[in-house]
Amino acid sequence: MRHARRYRLGAVALLALALVAGCTERKERVLFDGNYYPGKARGEREDRRDFTATVRRAGRGIEGAQKAVVHEATRYCIESFGTSEIAWSGVAEGQEGPAYARSGDRLSVSGRCIIWK
């Protein structure tokens, strides 16, 4: 019986901690055109300067999703290499900005973080 009480108390404490963590995360969300687009960026194994950034829920607004995925890419380069300079992949000559790839409700960009020496 004593163990059951400790178990319940521990479960309640974990639940409270999860709720607090969830609230903090929500406050830190960045909105684009009034919407939140969950995103992530991953570096390639061979060279982490090469990356792909992706956001979900692109159906909420393509312009907001484009801004969000560029934000995610820039954040990746800044946090990983201390630079916001990006050479976008798949961009035709004379074109500016990233080449967006859409798959279902996801929007992606690829690029390389530029490190000046």
Side-chain angles (χ1 to χ4, degrees):
M1 188 130 117
R2 228 174 172 185
H3 295 291
R5 181 179 290 157
R6 284 185 189 170
Y7 175 76
R8 277 186 267 155
L9 183 59
V12 169
L14 285 175
L15 179 62
L17 183 61
L19 289 174
V20 170
C23 291
T24 303
E25 180 182 308
R26 187 166 278 217
K27 288 179 183 178
E28 294 175 1
R29 289 182 178 177
V30 179
L31 302 180
F32 296 92
D33 294 344
N35 294 308
Y36 172 64
Y37 300 89
K40 63 182 171 183
R42 291 189 179 174
E44 300 295 327
R45 279 188 182 181
E46 302 83 42
D47 189 344
R48 290 189 54 240
R49 290 179 292 172
D50 296 322
F51 68 89
T52 299
T54 305
V55 295
R56 294 182 291 130
R57 302 178 187 164
R60 291 183 173 186
I62 194 66
E63 289 180 15
Q66 289 173 338
K67 293 173 188 175
V69 77
V70 168
H71 173 80
E72 196 66 34
T74 305
R75 189 175 71 131
Y76 172 79
C77 288
I78 289 172
E79 289 178 358
S80 299
F81 302 102
T83 182
S84 62
E85 292 257 355
I86 298 172
W88 300 108
S89 299
V91 177
E93 192 167 322
Q95 184 182 21
E96 286 188 31
Y100 302 101
R102 186 158 182 193
S103 176
D105 208 29
R106 295 177 186 269
L107 188 71
S108 302
V109 293
S110 296
R112 181 174 179 85
C113 302
I114 304 298
I115 303 170
W116 298 100
K117 294 184 180 189

